[in-house]
Amino acid sequence: MSELSYFPGSTNREDYAKKIAAVFSEYLEKNGLRLTSPRRKILDCLLKADRHLNQEEIYQSLRPQGIGRATVFRTIKMLEDSNLLSRIAGISGPPRFEVHSERPHHDHLVCISCGSIQEIQWPELERIQEKACGKIGFEIKWHRHEIFGFCKKCAGSSKQA
Amino acid sequence: MSELSYFPGSTNREDYAKKIAAVFSEYLEKNGLRLTSPRRKILDCLLKADRHLNQEEIYQSLRPQGIGRATVFRTIKMLEDSNLLSRIAGISGPPRFEVHSERPHHDHLVCISCGSIQEIQWPELERIQEKACGKIGFEIKWHRHEIFGFCKKCAGSSKQA
DNA sequence: ATCGTTGCAAACGGTTTGCAATTCG
DNA sequence: CGAATTGCAAACCGTTTGCAACGAT
């Protein structure tokens, strides 16, 4: 399970976290909602993680602080609505989540043998996408691109799922 | 809801259906399983449809013939295992399915306003993908590429979800 | 006769919702 | 005070499974 997570050169993790929190807060305000302590903690948990968490993992790590499952789900939904969080499907099991926004867009390479998720950036591919969609009048909001196969390690060995 | 579905020039729908059925049958045989009437009907239902069906739609259309939900799920799983069926996630709700195999690969443009799904082919994009993955030693088995945004019709009008 | 297959109903697991208590502004 | 928020438990919904009856070789 090697899952990468990185932050653009000029922005360190804390600045990044602040920025995201600000965007979230703004979103909430605009909708007459509040940036409460549980919501903040859930966002922090996602930001601190160096891999893609699923709902259960967030819940387990925050339960000691008295945060319930429902709140985790509700907050995840808000973060998705505010376009700060994206859902990654994987091959099976519950979806995992990833804070995006400021990070350069990347796609996912999911290994169907060991389950690892690598990230990959494709500026070239993004360009082609936009050009083609522009031509047929489709206005892109976001996309999800998951490639399934065998990672380097697993491709070398026996390839069992 | 305009969902395209087409068959390559030289192959008409019936030939195509036969080919798929043959592949399925072969897969079943190889695994000591049988191409039974319910399985055949479920495959036919998917082949006949001119849009992406979900499990419930298949079940509803076959229920009059006495086919149960469990069989639909079980058969879908087999078709996925035999690499004849792929799962499309959409923005919400249950996954939809699409028979692929012989058809040229294509990605999906999902409209977040009206829910329509357009298909788009990107040979260029596929090439880039393979080249890049080859470079880092990732062996592609299949991929899922869904682009979300506003279709031509909805981009023009008021853009409500 | 044997072994896969079927439909049913119950079980399951992730997600959502109703609600009374609580917190925040 | 009033409105949003919370945790809990129950409800929900799509999916899976156990099982006894069935079907095909």
Side-chain angles (χ1 to χ4, degrees), chain A residues 7-116:
Chain A
F7 299 84
S10 58
T11 320
N12 70 33
R13 191 178 278 234
E14 260 170 53
D15 290 350
Y16 172 69
K18 269 183 204 152
K19 220 169 202 169
I20 295 284
V23 175
F24 188 36
S25 166
E26 193 185 330
Y27 163 86
L28 290 171
E29 213 159 327
K30 202 169 7 181
N31 289 75
L33 306 170
R34 296 165 191 167
L35 181 45
T36 60
S37 151
R39 286 177 189 166
R40 174 121 225 154
K41 278 175 190 159
I42 290 163
L43 177 54
D44 282 351
C45 173
L46 279 159
L47 283 164
K48 272 203 288 268
D50 52 0
R51 61 198 187 83
H52 306 121
L53 303 176
N54 61 32
Q55 173 280 142
E56 182 65 20
E57 289 166 340
I58 300 170
Y59 170 61
Q60 289 303 340
S61 94
L62 260 34
R63 190 153 70 129
Q65 295 175 57
I67 289 174
R69 238 197 265 293
T71 303
V72 174
F73 275 111
R74 287 188 277 235
T75 304
I76 284 175
K77 180 159 286 175
M78 284 173 194
L79 286 165
E80 284 188 278
D81 287 348
S82 66
N83 245 305
L84 287 172
L85 198 66
S86 63
R87 188 178 288 250
I88 312 168
I91 9 170
S92 68
R96 300 185 161 271
F97 297 93
E98 159 180 84
V99 185
H100 56 137
S101 179
E102 306 288 308
R103 299 178 61 194
H105 185 76
H106 54 262
D107 301 325
H108 293 103
L109 303 182
V110 182
C111 179
I112 55 179
S113 170
C114 71
S116 72

Side-chain angles (χ1 to χ4, degrees), chain B residues 51-68:
Chain B
R51 60 201 188 80
H52 307 122
L53 303 176
N54 61 31
Q55 174 279 141
E56 183 65 19
E57 290 166 338
I58 300 169
Y59 170 61
Q60 289 303 340
S61 94
L62 261 30
R63 188 153 71 128
Q65 296 174 56
I67 289 173

Side-chain angles (χ1 to χ4, degrees), chain B residues 74 87 109 139 156:
Chain B
R74 287 189 277 233
R87 187 178 290 248
L109 303 182
E139 188 186 328

